[in-house]
């Protein structure tokens, strides 16, 4: 997860970290909070990475559909997925240009900090579904 700006609320930051710790049972994952959009260029990302921008106008999935989509990327050999999460002001154009996919977390408006929690939880839920783990029930 690459996030523009900091998650200021400690309780929301703790939730993101909790879900990412759970994801680590299944895959390598990290969260990067960037102060400036151009810092994206300094991240070490595989050239074949799939870039996904959180965007209200993006594709919507239910949890099982999101898991199937993520599993499909895995099955096609994609080794790295970068989820781009903007701040309260949205996204720089350079992030929009880089993303091959746009993902919506639903039609409700969420604060950027809460959207990060929802994304982290859904990533964990997807891996749990793919592994047949009982969490998603």
């Amino acid at each position: 997860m690459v996030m523009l700006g900091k998650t200021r609320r400690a309780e929301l930051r703790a939730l993101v970290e909790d879900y990412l710790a759970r994801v680590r049972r299944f895959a390598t994952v990290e969260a990067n909070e960037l102060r400036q959009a151009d810092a994206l260029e300094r991240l070490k990302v595989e050239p074949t990475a799939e870039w996904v921008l959180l965007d209200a106008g993006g594709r919507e999935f239910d949890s099982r559909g999101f898991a199937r989509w993520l599993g499909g990327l895995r099955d096609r050999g994609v080794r790295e997925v970068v989820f781009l999460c903007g701040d309260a002001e949205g996204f720089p154009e350079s992030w929009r240009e880089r993303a091959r996919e746009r993902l919506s977390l639903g039609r409700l408006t969420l604060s950027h900090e809460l959207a990060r929690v929802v994304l982290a939880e859904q990533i964990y839920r997807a891996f749990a579904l793919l592994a047949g783990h009982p969490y998603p029930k």
Side-chain angles (χ1 to χ4, degrees), residues 52-77:
V52 181
L53 181 74
L54 261 61
D55 188 323
R59 287 175 61 180
E60 288 186 35
F61 294 101
D62 63 13
S63 294
R64 291 193 183 280
F66 179 66
R68 280 191 301 277
W69 174 79
L70 201 55
L73 291 175
R74 176 201 60 200
D75 295 347
R76 288 195 314 269

Side-chain angles (χ1 to χ4, degrees), residues 1 19-30 63-75 78-81 83 119-136:
M1 289 177 61
Y19 284 117
L20 295 182
R22 295 177 191 204
V23 171
R24 288 184 185 102
R25 297 178 197 157
F26 304 104
T28 302
V29 65
E30 63 182 66
S63 294
R64 291 193 183 280
F66 179 66
R68 280 191 301 277
W69 174 79
L70 201 55
L73 291 175
R74 176 201 60 200
D75 295 347
V78 174
R79 297 176 39 91
E80 188 169 8
V81 180
F83 290 96
L119 176 63
E121 192 278 338
Q122 287 299 302
I123 292 170
Y124 171 63
R125 184 176 294 272
F127 277 107
L129 280 164
L130 292 169
H133 189 275
Y135 171 77

